[in-house]
Amino acid sequence: MPISVDSTHLTRSLAELVATNSINPSLVPEADGEAAIADVTARHMREAGLQVERYEPKPGRPSLIGRLVGTGQGPTLMLNAHYDTVGVEGMQAPFNPIIENDRLYGRGSYDMKGSLAACIEATRAIAMSEQALAGDVLIAAVADEEYASIGTADLLVRRERGELDFDAAIVTEPTSLALCVAHRGFTWLEIETQGLAAHGSRYHIGVDANIRMGRVLRELEALLSDLQARPGHPLLGPPSLHASMIEGGVGISTYSPSCKLKIERRTVPPESQKTIENEIVNLLDSLQDDDPNFEATWKTSFHRDPFETLPDAPIARCVSTAAAGVLGKQPDVIGDSAWMDSALTSEAGVDTVVIGPHGQGAHAAVEWVDITSCVQLAEILAHAAIDFCNQGVDRQIA
Ligand SMILES: [Zn+2]
């Protein structure tokens, strides 16, 4: 039986997922979290023929693995979709899924419950087709991508410990059905300049930490020009930085004793945390060489690697072939600006690509997903999974 994705069934489960509040409580205090959506998702997974495992590294923040079991003779593929959403401020009816002109509206429809519904529908279609499947297909429906990615991170720890196994991943964040093989990373840094507090009239004692931070800002602007002049990554362009927040001083008649600056440095492969930290060390060292009295401390407060698929990764070939078959043309190959869970899976040594539906309004007051693109995504995922999970298997014998 050929692969047949049921668009009505997909739309119905998508509507139910959107109607279920799953706002991330780390972003919005007192929000519901992922408990209710885990129950709804688990039911849909079981109806699709999957075995469901539930993981809850933090109370109220469950993730699910739905498993379509193969014969055990092929590699295992993970389809990854986060089911937490951001808040709903400014939205008219966030949990009331409305369909208009092939668009389904509601919080999380585009980011990324449309993807989750497509993953479930893809496995259901494989199960119904009675196609031979050597390796397992897993759906990871994960918590907390919008904040700290505890869901995917926990699954990777379990893989490291040998409790879970998967050889490649498709992260299904929306890409308008383009094949995304790279995205940017970021590093958050804090710099603090030290001065000496004194009465505003006591110029011979006071040292102004805010004016000292001016030197840092001037050097950062020069560094930014240098970064932007680089050719950068072929799909992602040059790296960048911005001085996001600054705070210094205690009163208008007091020499400022300290000034704190928060910087976000957006990275492209192959830049690492070390690359960024070396830049800052060099910058502050040169300021100290110019003025031995200059004092500043720094630290990295958060880091996320950029992501890039190895060009010869089998999963990239499987998805590309499947997408060409469904779309009738080779998919666009793109890099994306935003960070995704693909960086985590890739860093753990799991070959990863990103492909997802079309839509608009992630984190915005009006959010919708294009239903036809969800159906096409389900078809692409099903064909790619069959291809990937049957690698190395002689189909004549199987
Ligand atoms: Zn997302």
Side-chain angles (χ1 to χ4, degrees), residues 200-328:
S201 65
R202 315 261 292 168
Y203 63 91
H204 51 294
I205 297 174
V207 178
D208 188 333
N210 293 351
I211 284 185
R212 282 189 166 176
M213 189 59 88
R215 299 183 204 171
V216 176
L217 288 167
R218 195 189 59 218
E219 291 302 313
L220 285 172
E221 193 174 15
L223 173 61
L224 174 61
S225 305
D226 170 51
L227 297 177
Q228 296 278 284
R230 293 181 193 174
H233 185 275
L235 292 171
L236 300 171
S240 63
L241 71 81
H242 58 116
S244 325
M245 294 165 87
I246 188 162
E247 192 180 21
V250 291
I252 192 149
S253 273
T254 308
Y255 275 77
S256 170
S258 79
C259 183
K260 288 179 187 159
L261 175 68
K262 292 184 180 179
I263 307 164
E264 183 178 71
R265 170 75 162 77
R266 291 275 168 169
T267 57
V268 299
E271 291 181 321
S272 67
Q273 184 169 343
K274 196 90 205 111
T275 317
I276 308 318
E277 292 180 343
N278 284 342
E279 266 173 19
I280 293 301
V281 167
N282 290 340
L283 186 150
L284 295 178
D285 279 356
S286 84
L287 288 173
Q288 239 216 326
D289 287 347
D290 293 348
D291 173 4
N293 291 322
F294 176 85
E295 273 181 65
T297 53
W298 69 277
K299 65 174 185 191
T300 300
S301 60
F302 198 64
H303 172 80
R304 289 299 200 192
D305 275 328
F307 153 74
E308 186 168 38
T309 312
L310 294 174
D312 56 350
I315 188 60
R317 179 185 48 75
C318 293
V319 173
S320 179
T321 307
V326 171
L327 303 174

Side-chain angles (χ1 to χ4, degrees), residues 82 111-112 145-146 173-174 363:
H82 69 80
D111 182 19
M112 57 184 288
E145 192 276 346
E146 297 291 0
E173 289 273 12
H363 305 202

Side-chain angles (χ1 to χ4, degrees), residues 73-156:
Q73 285 147 346
T76 297
L77 174 65
M78 176 177 82
L79 311 176
N80 180 297
H82 69 80
Y83 55 16
D84 61 315
T85 72
V86 295
V88 294
E89 224 181 68
M91 294 188 87
Q92 299 256 319
F95 306 116
N96 183 18
I98 291 169
I99 299 172
E100 240 175 59
N101 298 326
D102 198 35
R103 293 173 175 184
L104 189 142
Y105 288 82
R107 175 53 87 225
S109 56
Y110 174 57
D111 182 19
M112 57 184 288
K113 293 176 177 178
S115 307
L116 179 56
C119 291
I120 296 171
E121 194 56 33
T123 49
R124 207 174 79 96
I126 299 171
M128 303 246 302
S129 74
E130 290 166 17
Q131 281 260 7
L133 196 65
D136 293 357
V137 183
L138 309 184
I139 299 176
V142 294
D144 192 47
E145 192 276 346
E146 297 291 0
Y147 184 69
S149 291
I150 55 175
T152 294
D154 173 60
L155 297 181
L156 289 167

